């Protein structure tokens, strides 16, 4: 596949991956994108996951013809992109490796060598001239690791964006970009919003014609849409009106309460998306919790705490720095419910989080009193629209 006449795609599609990083489901697999710029000098941009060593080296070799690569550019050292650095440099013994100082330190940890005699160390603002093509390096720490640099190829207007603008799914998967890119972004990079905002400021100054990420599709149109989403996600801003509800249920009483609440909210014209944390995908629930303006959490008191999957869910939200959100709480229990106070305290130090004061208690099962409180909660979240 050609990105342009002189820039080729040499990435790999992983159709058999069940979970990326062992925790994010990948029903449509995963791509590990690698690119090649062919000019007076040839640069290969990033390697691929370890399992694709032979296939990738063959693909590169076929794309390169009877020439040899001059540079291997390493934008990011996470093993899904860096595992084949040594294999590549062993095969092409005259090839230099271009990367940041921090990345070379990481190479030493992975390969027991930092390839000292073959290093071209770059930092923010440095250029690598290949002939007609020139890569301009942009330091983008914490998007997603500290060593990350993106590069902008100025003659064709191509931003090699490392993990940014990536998504789950192999190249060419027919699925909405937004959902799988959101789940990827929130899960993988979500806690580093400030750094992503800095990148967006830098990117706004570049005449970008294509964005080539390390995962997923090449973006060559509608930049406003993608950048707007990245701005919302990294700025912890509202993407969707309405409420994300996440709940756990042990004997079905909380499920009944959530069904009633959902009905009430919908009747009031509120957009609602519900996740049963015992059945639905955790990473999707987390991503949607960030996307919606409001969040309602419903769980049972359990072992003097909250139900384990809600505990996992809320910790993920907090680790990813959830903020700018109104949160409603429904607690369950039979004799001494504590889940409400526990949840309230968990979120107390996060910026701009408002906990709705009407915490609904379901003592055993729903009754007249708890249904009235549920109605009040529904009204409180409906009025926001
Ligand atoms: Fe796709 Fe942070 O590596």
């Amino acid at each position: 596949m050609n990105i342009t006449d002189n820039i080729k795609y040499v990435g790999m599609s992983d159709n058999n991956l069940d979970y990326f990083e062992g925790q994010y489901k990948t029903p449509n697999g995963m791509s590990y994108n690698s690119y090649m710029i062919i000019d007076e000098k040839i640069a290969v941009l990033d390697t691929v996951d370890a399992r694709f060593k032979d296939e990738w080296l063959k693909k590169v070799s076929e794309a390169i013809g009877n020439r040899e690569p001059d540079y291997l550019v390493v934008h990011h050292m996470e093993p899904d992109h860096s595992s084949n650095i040594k294999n590549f440099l062993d095969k092409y013994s005259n090839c230099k490796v271009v990367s940041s100082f921090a990345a070379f330190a990481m190479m030493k940890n992975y390969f027991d060598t930092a390839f000292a005699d073959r290093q071209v160390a770059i930092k923010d603002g440095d250029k690598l001239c290949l002939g007609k093509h020139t890569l301009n390096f942009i330091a983008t720490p914490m998007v997603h690791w500290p060593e990350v640099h993106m590069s902008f190829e100025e003659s064709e207007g191509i931003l090699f964006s490392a993990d940014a603008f990536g998504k789950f799914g192999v190249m060419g998967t027919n699925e909405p970009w937004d959902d799988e890119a959101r789940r990827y972004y929130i899960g993988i990079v979500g806690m580093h919003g400030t750094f992503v905002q800095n990148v967006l400021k830098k990117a706004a100054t570049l005449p970008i014609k294509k964005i080539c990420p390390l995962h997923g599709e090449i973006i060559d149109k509608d930049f406003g849409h993608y950048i707007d989403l990245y701005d919302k996600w990294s700025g912890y801003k509202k993407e969707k009106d309405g409420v994300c509800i996440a709940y756990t249920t042990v004997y079905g009483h909380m499920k009944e309460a959530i069904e009633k609440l959902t009905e009430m909210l919908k009747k009031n014209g509120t957009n609602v998306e519900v996740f049963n944390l015992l059945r639905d995908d955790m990473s999707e629930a987390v991503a949607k919790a960030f996307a919606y303006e409001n969040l309602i959490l419903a769980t049972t008191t359990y072992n003097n705490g909250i139900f384990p999957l809600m505990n996992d869910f809320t910790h993920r939200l907090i680790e990813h720095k959830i903020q700018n959100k109104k949160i409603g709480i429904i607690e369950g229990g039979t004799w001494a419910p504590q889940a409400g106070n526990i949840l309230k305290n968990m979120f107390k130090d996060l910026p701009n989080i408002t906990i709705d004061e009407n915490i609904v208690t379901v003592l055993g099962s729903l009754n007249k009193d708890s249904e009235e409180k549920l109605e009040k909660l529904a009204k409180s979240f409906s009025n926001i629209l």
Side-chain angles (χ1 to χ4, degrees), residues 20-21 30 76 78 80-81 144-145 163 184 188 214-215:
F20 182 69
E21 291 190 356
M30 192 72 182
H76 180 20
E78 194 166 11
D80 48 336
H81 311 294
H144 137 234
W145 279 11
D163 276 339
Y184 173 85
I188 308 276
L214 285 174
H215 300 287

Side-chain angles (χ1 to χ4, degrees), residues 80-94:
D80 48 336
H81 311 294
S82 69
S83 291
N84 283 298
I85 291 174
K86 186 164 187 312
N87 294 326
F88 186 88
L89 294 175
D90 285 348
K91 177 168 179 179
Y92 297 108
S93 54
N94 293 317

